[in-house]
Every structure is written in structure tokens, then in C-alpha cells.
């Protein structure tokens, strides 16, 4: 209903009361009493209060009609007094006519009046006491809630100005509660927050939908501290339901906000530590570990970060990382040993280049010059970075005005009380500042990365030592052998894996025979490389004894079982062993093959290794059926031999499991792929090796790879002289004649005299000390080899003859005139042999006169 003022006569302004006025709550009823004491007028609200219509009330005695019987006498007396001109106010019990019990209590105000004829009458105003008590209670409760509330309370009118504020609000924002009347939210908040609050107030006023936990940020007058308030807004209505404003209840939640922020920061830090534990140090690589640290820190912890490591640590220097140099190395103007920037990360798209006096990891809190990744540098002596390296303690460096970086944490990377490098964490301006929790997290992240980096350093050192040892034990250059074209490849495990115990060898044996060896010590690291070296040395030693392949493996098995040191051997003194000492077991696999170029036959023995592969001309590659036997070090099982005749031009391949086995495919697939890669054996042997390594999915880096390939090229018949001599004295002369004739046919006249002399000595010894038929064989290849065979089992022994002895100087003469000599057992006796260099080769020096005379 519109409220339009209307002017009546006399200038009095009449205005209709808007809905929701106080009278709507009180609901005042009225009636009048005439001079006769009977009801004359009865208002509509009296109808509502007493439940009696005007027709029923008019003309009745109000005392008789509405008051209980026991109060009627007093009621009549009061009416008479009122009609005599007295006013009266009091509480009057009333009942509804027709009911015996009291209905309620009314507060009544009775005032005298006069009729038109001048007779005395009365006007009665009645209010239900229950309504008054409710109003009083509501007012008291409202005052208690509004005035005594510990929370700020505001009542905004429909024009969004403050109509009322409580004492708590005035305490925070100053002045008394009344001083805030008429103000708006713009008087308390900055413009963005005030606009947000105004929009919320208007929305609540228009829609009637309440707003809860509406958070605003501001500062109290005279304070620079940012406060957080949670505001609850709801629309306020009059008794008739008309909106009269918006009530706002404000709660200071700064502590709650800070606690939530701290909790979120703690959760974030724990998540970062958990992620750091999972991601840092997986590669055992120094640079990769530094990058993993920054992957965790940026952008989860900071906006920019960098890692510097000591140069000596990266180059494998044995000096402890982080130790300052001597006085000539670190002097005035220097701040630390040389470092190298190994990693940098930024979550800021426009990361600036460093300028003079710039700060942060992209800039330099510790120097004016830019530091690129991979660059070596030193920090100035008085810089925070140098100070952090000297003391091993974190430094906090604030950014400069006009720069991107707000704060930088300079954290030394300390592992086992040793500084290995430096990490810098920076946050850009606009980001949250570093707190104590952040500093502790920065130290923890740097420490974890430092331990991983130190472990990577130690691993790299051991890996390099094992690699050096392993390479030093492999055959140098391209091995050569009579009757064989040999090519080999060796790929050690990468820096990400430990060095294994793979090895191969090509050993020249007497009679232009060759031993081909390949093996693999189970396990990894320096210990496996050392075990491999011991086994390789043992193989070469046993090979010089010219034992059969199965016998060589049997001796190796015994040696492998004796390699491990007792576990209890390193127990400190004073500690008793709890039981018998156990030995560390070294297991290894090995293939030992002996090839004879004269017969083109090869004898194999296998100790748990992968079978050799043979490719005959025009045929597919096949796996030789060589009984695998047990690995070396197991013991208790004999080894079997297999002799195979190899055709001219055939290809023989020995290899380790790293070539054919990986985690990506099973062994059978790798063997099949290896055999397919050997389908063109006629190509140059070096090309075949390259093809094998490039075509197979070896997964190199997971294990060492060793490959030994040999193409069969037997000695031609014209390069072999073979004769059998009867057991009689004239065979000595016959042997000299046969040797002289053969040497001349080979155009080796310069060797005739020496060979005749030495052949005479060996055949004479065979007649004197040997048994059975005598066999003489000359072999020409890269050297000249002479062999004398007999059926005797007694091995010749070189000794020094006495001055009075007439004999015993033959073997001394053989050893002095030949490049090498020796003897070996055969299935039917023994063979004594000597070797001479060809005339165009680098032969042994001629014996001096003193050497010759020393034998007599």
C-alpha cells in the first residue's frame, strides 16, 4: 500500500500506517461504556480479543459479561469510580462469555469521557498481556543477542546503509555503536572487497536467499594486519513479512584461516617429501638426481630453483667434496672451490636474465655474472652462497626492488657431514613468503638429494674402477690366432647399472692351436669384476698347461669355490663366532673351446653357459649341442667334452646372456633373433658383429655384452709337414734331413741350421727317454712350430748340467735358441715342441758367446 501524505483542513497531515507497525504486534482493542455502565461501542479488535461480536457486546454490563463472578463486585466499584471521573490502569482477568474458566489477563486503561449531553462515560483500551510479554521477551532477547554478542553484528537498511551496529563491531572498527549509523561497507573495506560485499547484500535483499561463510579480507582502522572475516547475511522482515533490511553477522576467522593455511602447508610439505622420496635418486646419476630434485620443487614448492655441484665431485676427484682448497686455491676474492651449474628450473614464463646486482637462481644473489647450465664458476667470498658453503647452514636472501624474485633460500647440500653442492629455491613476488616450515622443508629436500648425489658419486667411482679393472683384463686390440679370423665386441653396463663379470679371451696354445673362452660371473659391481679377473687369470694359467677343456673347467670349478672370503673372517677381535664360518659363493658360467687349425676340429666344454652358435656355409645358424654342465663354483659334477669338425669358412659365435636376454623379451626370442642376425656370414666379420649389435634388441645398459666370433680358416696342407719315424738311432739323421728339405721348400733357409740342431736334440731325447713310434711335425703360419711326439709319459725337465756332466744340456740349448718351447700330454703320450719366428718377423735375438759358453 503506497504511503501518500494527504493534507486535511487546518494543515494536519494524515498518513496511513505501513504494514508491520508496532500496532500489528500489540493489537490494541477498545470499547466504550455509557453513563449507564453498559457497553456502547465495540471495536473489531475487541471481537478478536474476547471472541464476542459487537451485536452480542453492545448493551451488556462488561463486568457481568467478561469478569469472573468472584471479581464482579470489585469490578462494579471500579466502574462507578471511573464514571465519577477517575482514570484507572490495571490487570483484569477476563473470560469469554459462555465459558466458566478465565480466558486470560488483559491490561486495561480506562479514561473518563463525556457524552454529547454532558453525561459521564468511559473509554476502555485493552491489550492482551500475553502479547505484551512476548514483545518484552523478544525485545530483551534481541537486545541480548545484538548488544551482548561476541561477534560483530550489523543491520543494513533497504538502502544498504548501517541502521544499527553492536558493541563488538564498534570495538573492532572504533567509536560507539551509534557512530556507525548511516555508513556503508565502503567505509570499512577496500574497493574490491567492498564491491563484493555490496553485491552480496543486494542479492540477499532482492532474493531472500541467505549467504553463509562469505569470506572477506581487510584491515581494522590503524592496523596493517590482514584480517579474515566470515560473514553470514540474511534478510530481515517485519511482522507482516515486509523486507526491512539485511542482518550481517561477522566472525573473525583469521586464526582459523592461518591454522588452515598452516595445515595445508604441512600437507603440501608432507606430500612433497613423499614425492621426493619416490622420485629423487632413482637414476644413480649426479646430474639426473639434481634434475629430479628440481622436478619435485618447481612449482610445488618454489617458482625458480637451481643446483650447483662441486666440479671435483663431477670429475671423479678423490678429494672430499665441499672441502676448501689450500691457501693458494682459495684466497682473497674467492669464495669456494669450483662448482658447476648442473640444473635449473623455472615456473615463471618470463624469467629474466641476470643483471648486475640481480638476485635469485636465474640471477645471482651470489654474483653479477649469469650462470648457464653446464658452466663452471666460483662464488665471491662475501656472497651468501659462499657463506652457506662454508658454514653448511641455510641463508635467506631477500630480493631487490623492481625484481621478479621475492626471496631466495640458499641451502647447502650436506651428506654425511660433507657439503657436495648448493641448491637455491626462489619465490617470485606475489607468491607466499617462505615460512619456518618452508625453510625446514628446503633443508630436508636438499639433504635427501645430497645423500642420493653422494651415493651416485660413490657408485660412479666404484663403477669406473670396476670398468677399468674389467677392461684391463680383456684381450687388448684385435686378437689373432692361427687358422682363425677373429672379431669381438664388448659393451660394459652403462653408468646407470653396475658393471658385470662378463669376459672373453683368445689364448694361443702350442701347435698353432687356439683356446676360445667366454664367461660370465654372476653378480655385479667391483666384486664381480675382481672375481672375473681371478678366473680369467686362472684360465690363462691352466691353458698354458695344455689341459683338455673338461679338465680346465674342473680346475676352474675348484678355484671358483675357493674365491669367496669367509663371512666371519672380518669379525672384529673379541667377538666369538656363533657357528662355523660360511664362505661367500662365486658362481660363473664359462665355455672353453680348443681349436686345432691342422684338423679344423674344435673341442668344447661348457659350464652352465649359453651354447655356441655355428653357421656353416650356405646353412642356417644352429645351436651346438654341448652339454651345459653346472656353473663354476657349484662343484660335484664332471664336465663333458664335445669335439666338432668345423668346415672351412664356417662361423663360430660365443656370447653372454646380455646379448640375447632382457626384461623386454624371453631368452628363446633373443636366441632366435641372434640366429637370424647371422644369416649372411660371408660378409666381413667386423660387419657381422656390427649387424648383430644393431639388429638385436639387447636392452644394453641392463647387463654387460660380450661377443666373440671366429671364421674358420684351417692351415693349408702345404703349410704342414708330418712324418713318422721308427724307434732307431738313424731316425735322428732322417729327422734332420726331412726338416731341412721342408724348410727349403718353404723358402726358410735362414732357419735350417737352427731347426736341424733343435730337431736332433728333441728326437734324441725321444729315443733315449721316450717310448713307441716317433712323430715329427712342422707347422708354418705366423711362426714356425716344430713338434716331436712319442708314447712316453715322462715329461722332459730342464736342468742345469754340472761342469763334469757330458750331457743334460739339450733342453737348455732348445730354450736358448727358440722363441719358446714346452711339452704337453697327449692321449697316447707326450709332445715336446719349440717355436721360431719367421725370418721376416721379429725373431728372437741370436744367443751371445757368453750364453753358449755358460752351458758348458
Amino acid at each position: 500500500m503506497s504511503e501518500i501524505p494527504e493534507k486535511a483542513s487546518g494543515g494536519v497531515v494524515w498518513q496511513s500506517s505501513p504494514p508491520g507497525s508496532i500496532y500489528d504486534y500489540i493489537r490494541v482493542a477498545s470499547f466504550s461504556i455509557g453513563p449507564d455502565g453498559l457497553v456502547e461501542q465495540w471495536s473489531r479488535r475487541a471481537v478478536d480479543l474476547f471472541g464476542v461480536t459487537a451485536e452480542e457486546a453492545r448493551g451488556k454490563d462488561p463486568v457481568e459479561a467478561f469478569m469472573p463472578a468472584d471479581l464482579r463486585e470489585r469490578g462494579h466499584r471500579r466502574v462507578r469510580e471511573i464514571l465519577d471521573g477517575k482514570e484507572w490502569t490495571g490487570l483484569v482477568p477476563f473470560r469469554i462469555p459462555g465459558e466458566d474458566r478465565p480466558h486470560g489477563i488483559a491490561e486495561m486503561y480506562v479514561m473518563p469521557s463525556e457524552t454529547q449531553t454532558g453525561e459521564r462515560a468511559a473509554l476502555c483500551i485493552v491489550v492482551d498481556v500475553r502479547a505484551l510479554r512476548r514483545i518484552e521477551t523478544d525485545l530483551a532477547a534481541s537486545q541480548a543477542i545484538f548488544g551482548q554478542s561476541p561477534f560483530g553484528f550489523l543491520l543494513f537498511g533497504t538502502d544498504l546503509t548501517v541502521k544499527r551496529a553492536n558493541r563488538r563491531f564498534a570495538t573492532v572498527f572504533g567509536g560507539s555503536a551509534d557512530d556507525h549509523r548511516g555508513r556503508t561497507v565502503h567505509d570499512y573495506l577496500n574497493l574490491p572487497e567492498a564491491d563484493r560485499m555490496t553485491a552480496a547484500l543486494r542479492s540477499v535483499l532482492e532474493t531472500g536467499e541467505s549467504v553463509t561463510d562469505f569470506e572477506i579480507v581487510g584491515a581494522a582502522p590503524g592496523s596493517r594486519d590482514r584480517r579474515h572475516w566470515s560473514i553470514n547475511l540474511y534478510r530481515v522482515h517485519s511482522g507482516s513479512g515486509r523486507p526491512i533490511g539485511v542482518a550481517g553477522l561477522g566472525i573473525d576467522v583469521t586464526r582459523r584461516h592461518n591454522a588452515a593455511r598452516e595445515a595445508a602447508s604441512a600437507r603440501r610439505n608432507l606430500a612433497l617429501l613423499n614425492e621426493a622420496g619416490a622420485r629423487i635418486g632413482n637414476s644413480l646419476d649426479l646430474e639426473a638426481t639434481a634434475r629430479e630434485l628440481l622436478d619435485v620443487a618447481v612449482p610445488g614448492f618454489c617458482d625458480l630453483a637451481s643446483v650447483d655441484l662441486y666440479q671435483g665431485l663431477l670429475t671423479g676427484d678423490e678429494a672430499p667434496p665441499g672441502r676448501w682448497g689450500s691457501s693458494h686455491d682459495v684466497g682473497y676474492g674467492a669464495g669456494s672451490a669450483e662448482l658447476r651449474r648442473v640444473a635449473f628450473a623455472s615456473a615463471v614464463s618470463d624469467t629474466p636474465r641476470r643483471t648486475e646486482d640481480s638476485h635469485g637462481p636465474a640471477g645471482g644473489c651470489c654474483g653479477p655474472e649469469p650462470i648457464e647450465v653446464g658452466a663452471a664458476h666460483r662464488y665471491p667470498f662475501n656472497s651468501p652462497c659462499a657463506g652457506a658453503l662454508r658454514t653448511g647452514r641455510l641463508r635467506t636472501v631477500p630480493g631487490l626492488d623492481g625484481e621478479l624474485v621475492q626471496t631466495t633460500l640458499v641451502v647447502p647440500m650436506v651428506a654425511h657431514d660433507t657439503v657436495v653442492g648448493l641448491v637455491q629455491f626462489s619465490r617470485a613476488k606475489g607468491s607466499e613468503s617462505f615460512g619456518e616450515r618452508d625453510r625446514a622443508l628446503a633443508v630436508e629436500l636438499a639433504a635427501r638429494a645430497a645423500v642420493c648425489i653422494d651415493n651416485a658419486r660413490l657408485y660412479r667411482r666404484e663403477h669406473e674402477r670396476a670398468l677399468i679393472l674389467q677392461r684391463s683384463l680383456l684381450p687388448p686390440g684385435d686378437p689373432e690366432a692361427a687358422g682363425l679370423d677373429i672379431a669381438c665386441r664388448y659393451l660394459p653396463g652403462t653408468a646407470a647399472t653396475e658393471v658385470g663379470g662378463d669376459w672373453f679371451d683368445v689364448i694361443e696354445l702350442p701347435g698353432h692351436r687356439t683356446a676360445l673362452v667366454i664367461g660370465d660371473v654372476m653378480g655385479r659391481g667391483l666384486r664381480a669384476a675382481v672375481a672375473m679377473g681371478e678366473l680369467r687369470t686362472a684360465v690363462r694359467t691352466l691353458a698354458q698347461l695344455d689341459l683338455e677343456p673338461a679338465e680346465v673347467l674342473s680346475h676352474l670349478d675348484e678355484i671358483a669355490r675357493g674365491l669367496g672370503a669367509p663371512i666371519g673372517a672380518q669379525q672384529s677381535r673379541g667377538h666369538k663366532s656363533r657357528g662355523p664360518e660360511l664362505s661367500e659363493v662365486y658362481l660363473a658360467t664359462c665355455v672353453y673351446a680348443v681349436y686345432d687349425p691342422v684338423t679344423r676340429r674344435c673341442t668344447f666344454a661348457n659350464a652352465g653357459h649359453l651354447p655356441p652358435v655355428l653357421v656353416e656355409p650356405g646353412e642356417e645358424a644352429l645351436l651346438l649341442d654341448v652339454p651345459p654342465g653346472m656353473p663354476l663354483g657349484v662343484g660335484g659334477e664332471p664336465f663333458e667334452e664335445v669335439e666338432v669338425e668345423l668346415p672351412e669358412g664356417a662361423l663360430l659365435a660365443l656370447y653372454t646372456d646380455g646379448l640375447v636376454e632382457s626384461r623386454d623379451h624371453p631368452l628363446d626370442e633373443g636366441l632366435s633373433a641372434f640366429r637370424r642376425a647371422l644369416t649372411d656370414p660371408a660378409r666381413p666379420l667386423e660387419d657381422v658383429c656390427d649387424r648383430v649389435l644393431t639388429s638385436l634388441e639387447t636392452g644394453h645398459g641392463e647387463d654387460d655384452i660380450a661377443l666373440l666370433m671366429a671364421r674358420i680358416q684351417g692351415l693349408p696342407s702345404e703349410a704342414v709337414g708330418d712324418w713318422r719315424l721308427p724307434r732307431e738311432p738313424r731316425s735322428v739323421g732322417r729327422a734332420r734331413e726331412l726338416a731341412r728339405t721342408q724348410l727349403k721348400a718353404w723358402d726358410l733357409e735362414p732357419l735350417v741350421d737352427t731347426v736341424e740342431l733343435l730337431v736332433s736334440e728333441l728326437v734324441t731325447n725321444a729315443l733315449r727317454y721316450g717310448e713307441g713310434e716317433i712323430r715329427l711335425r712342422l707347422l708354418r703360419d705366423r711362426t714356425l712350430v716344430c713338434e716331436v711326439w712319442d708314447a712316453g709319459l715322462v715329461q722332459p725337465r730342464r736342468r742345469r748340467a754340472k761342469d763334469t756332466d757330458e750331457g743334460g744340456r739339450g733342453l737348455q740349448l732348445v730354450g736358448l735358441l727358440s722363441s719358446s718351447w714346452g711339452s704337453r700330454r697327449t692321449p697316447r703320450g707326450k709332445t715336446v715342441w719349440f717355436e721360431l719366428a719367421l725370418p721376416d718377423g721379429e725373431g728372437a735375438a741370436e744367443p751371445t758367446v757368453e750364453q753358449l759358453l755358460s752351458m758348458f
Side-chain angles (χ1 to χ4, degrees), residues 486-738:
I486 295 179
C488 54
R489 294 290 186 274
Y490 179 75
L491 301 177
T494 62
T497 59
E498 293 187 272
V499 171
D502 293 14
W503 92 92
F504 68 91
D505 211 344
V506 178
I507 307 171
E508 294 188 58
L509 300 177
H512 286 316
R513 294 171 306 132
T514 301
L516 302 176
V517 189
I518 196 160
D520 183 3
V521 176
M522 298 181 186
R524 297 180 181 276
L526 187 59
R527 298 177 67 83
V530 171
M532 177 271 286
E534 292 176 317
L535 289 177
R536 178 180 180 272
T537 301
V539 169
R540 296 190 71 87
T541 302
L542 294 170
Q544 297 306 318
L545 298 178
D546 212 353
L547 303 176
E548 295 297 322
E551 193 173 357
V552 170
L553 293 186
S554 296
H555 285 292
L556 280 179
D557 182 56
E558 294 292 334
I559 293 172
R561 282 189 286 168
L563 286 180
I567 295 176
Q570 298 180 354
Q571 290 180 342
S572 59
R573 295 181 179 179
H575 293 273
K576 296 182 179 180
S577 177
R578 298 183 179 180
E581 292 182 349
L582 301 176
S583 294
E584 184 179 9
V585 178
Y586 280 92
L587 298 178
T589 63
C590 180
V591 169
Y592 186 87
V594 176
Y595 171 69
D596 187 345
V598 178
T599 62
R600 294 200 313 277
R601 301 188 70 83
C602 188
T603 305
F604 296 91
N606 188 354
H609 201 80
L610 294 172
V613 174
L614 178 65
V615 187
E616 297 185 6
E619 302 291 338
E620 293 184 355
L622 57 89
L623 299 176
L624 290 179
D625 186 13
V626 180
M630 299 298 291
L632 302 177
V634 174
E637 294 291 334
F639 297 96
E640 300 182 45
E641 292 182 359
V642 172
E643 188 176 65
V644 179
E645 184 174 352
L646 305 178
E648 186 77 16
L651 185 64
L652 179 66
L654 305 178
Y655 53 95
T656 57
D657 57 359
L659 181 69
V660 295
E661 185 177 22
S662 74
R663 65 183 65 182
D664 298 327
H665 56 75
L667 177 61
D668 291 343
E669 291 184 9
L671 288 173
S672 299
F674 180 40
R675 292 168 57 190
R676 289 194 298 271
L678 299 175
T679 53
D680 190 10
R683 300 174 61 184
L685 203 55
E686 295 292 336
D687 293 346
V688 175
C689 286
D690 294 336
R691 173 184 172 83
V692 168
L693 294 180
T694 55
S695 61
L696 265 63
E697 296 181 4
T698 60
H700 177 232
E702 300 175 6
D703 196 1
D704 294 359
I705 295 176
L707 175 63
L708 177 60
M709 304 186 74
R711 179 171 283 121
I712 306 303
Q713 297 173 347
L715 288 179
S717 58
E718 59 270 16
V720 179
D722 194 355
W723 306 275
R724 297 183 183 273
L725 303 173
R727 189 171 186 80
E728 55 187 28
R730 63 178 184 176
S731 293
V732 177
R734 177 61 178 164
R736 286 198 301 268
E737 179 184 355
L738 292 172

Side-chain angles (χ1 to χ4, degrees), residues 402 733 739 748:
L748 298 178

